[in-house]
Amino acid sequence: MTLLAFETSCDETSAAVVHDGKILSSAVSSQVKLHAEYGGVVPELAAREHLRNLIPVVQSALNEAGVKTEHLTAVAATQGAGLATALLVGCKAAQAVAFALRIPFIGINHHEAHLYSPWIRGEPLVADFSDFQPNVSLIVSGGHTMLVLVQSELKHRVLGSTIDDAAGECFDKTGKLMGLAYPAGPEIDRLAEQGNAKAFDFPRPLIHDPGDDFSFSGLKTSVRYFIRDNPTLLNDPQKIRDLCASVQRAIVEVLVAKSIHAAKGNGVRCVTASGGVTCNRALRRELARACGQEGFTLRLAEKILCTDNAAMIGILAERKLSANAEPTPLDQEIMPGWVLA
Ligand code: KG4
Ligand code: ZN
């Protein structure tokens, strides 16, 4: 199967060509700079930017793969969840391609694609499920934070998710309070490397709660009050590094503890992680340490596949079609609120 995939659910315009589990090309055009000025993603601007970028991105994915449209056997796109105006661009474009080429189209759930992205590895990137194990999967980004039990390929159940802010949002909003540019996650990661994570104490919300839900808004508020009560702290670069390290430690401890707790509670011995925040070095280190201590296998998505991309959409679409999933009708609407079951 040679499949062209589109991803436009948020602020990344992406297209990829996948052939029998191998990623032949993956083109991503990020809109981060455009939205930075506003301190967050502006849906209307995201949609316009997708419209501008989609065709060049698709062209570059096809060129890099050395694939002509007449060689395509299927096309896929993120159908949900995501920003409605943004989803419309990629999903409707993919349905139009399927119509014109008379090939099947399949609409993919964005979160479900994240679930399987840690199994795409190597150089070139290939989906390898030969050592697949039932796992607890942490999906952690600017828009979502959830734990999912993946019992077998294409079979999963959501265990819990955030009841307020996502972990990435917590990085971005606390960073903004420190005066860092949007998105602050990568900058906090960088500054925290030279900071003392024990310098300041912040809450670890729900860390001992027996459930699998997360909550990060209390941590954000606590950082806000801390900065309000210690305004001169932001004049000292080392104190900012310490603050970054302390906030990062609080977020990472919660993510790691709850992932391990969910794996133990569900009797699985493998943890996987994906989504933009999985680029965070402290999170990668601490998950590795905790899984090592428990004797669990850890599969982290490759950094290039952590942030939103069409390659993971293509891999899941190909596996679904290979497992005889029904193609999605070409007039089917986007599903902005498509929750993973
Ligand atoms: O998956 P993603 O590209 O988009 C969605 O939100 O769906 O994730 C972006 C999020 C942002 O909140 C960003 O600050 C965070 O991932 N992020 C990081 C790092 N790299 C990206 N957070 C902490 N450390 C990082 N290295
Ligand atoms: Zn995502």
Side-chain angles (χ1 to χ4, degrees):
M1 198 178 297
T2 305
L3 187 144
L4 174 65
F6 295 62
E7 153 64 42
T8 64
S9 64
C10 189
D11 61 345
E12 252 92 34
T13 314
S14 178
V17 180
V18 166
H19 173 74
D20 295 346
K22 193 186 289 180
I23 295 169
L24 299 186
S25 65
S26 172
V28 182
S29 166
S30 172
Q31 304 178 4
V32 160
K33 286 204 183 96
L34 171 75
H35 300 286
E37 201 182 317
Y38 304 93
V41 179
V42 184
E44 178 65 22
L45 290 184
R48 288 176 192 217
E49 199 64 7
H50 286 313
L51 281 171
R52 227 188 317 274
N53 292 335
L54 190 65
I55 292 193
V57 164
V58 169
Q59 245 155 8
S60 119
L62 288 168
N63 289 346
E64 194 192 323
V67 165
K68 292 194 171 16
T69 48
E70 59 262 37
H71 298 136
L72 296 172
T73 46
V75 55
T78 306
Q79 195 175 359
L83 302 171
T85 51
L87 283 169
L88 268 176
V89 179
C91 191
K92 290 294 148 188
Q95 286 171 322
V97 169
F99 175 75
L101 298 178
R102 298 168 193 267
I103 55 176
F105 162 75
I106 186 157
I108 293 294
N109 179 305
H110 179 87
H111 299 145
E112 192 179 1
H114 272 302
L115 282 187
Y116 298 97
S117 61
W119 303 90
I120 309 172
R121 289 162 282 164
E123 180 66 48
L125 286 165
V126 178
D128 179 3
F129 292 90
S130 58
D131 56 351
F132 179 87
Q133 294 180 55
N135 60 80
V136 158
S137 192
L138 172 71
I139 306 178
V140 67
S141 75
H144 25 262
T145 302
M146 55 173 89
L147 283 168
V148 185
L149 174 64
V150 187
Q151 292 121 320
S152 60
E153 252 192 274
L154 306 179
K155 185 161 178 253
H156 48 259
R157 177 166 63 83
V158 174
L159 300 170
S161 51
T162 181
I163 55 173
D164 42 54
D165 291 351
E169 211 175 339
C170 188
F171 271 106
D172 297 340
K173 289 181 175 170
T174 54
K176 190 174 177 190
L177 295 169
M178 299 176 213
L180 304 179
Y182 171 87
E187 186 65 357
I188 292 184
D189 180 346
R190 199 181 65 78
L191 293 170
E193 288 289 300
Q194 282 134 35
N196 173 8
K198 293 190 180 136
F200 311 113
D201 193 25
F202 293 109
R204 273 79 167 142
L206 300 184
I207 196 163
H208 298 301
D209 186 89
D212 296 310
D213 285 337
F214 296 92
S215 166
F216 288 103
S217 74
L219 170 55
K220 174 190 68 190
T221 307
S222 144
V223 174
R224 169 174 288 128
Y225 290 155
F226 179 77
I227 292 175
R228 183 198 63 188
D229 298 341
N230 299 275
T232 56
L233 185 139
L234 297 182
N235 300 330
D236 180 340
Q238 186 52 43
K239 292 255 166 55
I240 295 180
R241 290 194 277 268
D242 293 344
L243 184 55
C244 287
S246 303
V247 173
Q248 176 175 277
R249 167 75 73 95
I251 298 173
V252 165
E253 271 186 19
V254 171
L255 294 174
V256 172
K258 297 200 74 82
S259 303
I260 298 290
H261 174 264
K264 281 185 180 167
N266 288 282
V268 300
R269 305 190 54 77
C270 176
V271 171
T272 74
S274 61
V277 177
T278 308
C279 291
N280 184 270
R281 286 170 289 181
L283 177 62
R284 294 178 88 86
R285 274 197 303 266
E286 286 306 303
L287 275 173
R289 191 196 50 74
C291 285
Q293 205 168 309
E294 299 293 336
F296 290 174
T297 305
L298 174 68
R299 289 239 171 276
L300 298 168
E302 300 278 357
K303 283 192 180 180
I304 193 175
L305 296 174
C306 283
T307 45
D308 290 344
N309 64 87
M312 66 178 185
I313 304 297
I315 290 292
L316 177 60
E318 205 186 38
R319 293 195 80 78
K320 285 198 168 223
L321 290 172
S322 303
N324 294 322
E326 279 294 312
T328 309
L330 296 186
D331 58 353
Q332 201 174 91
E333 292 302 327
I334 52 160
M335 298 196 265
W338 191 1
V339 278
L340 200 61

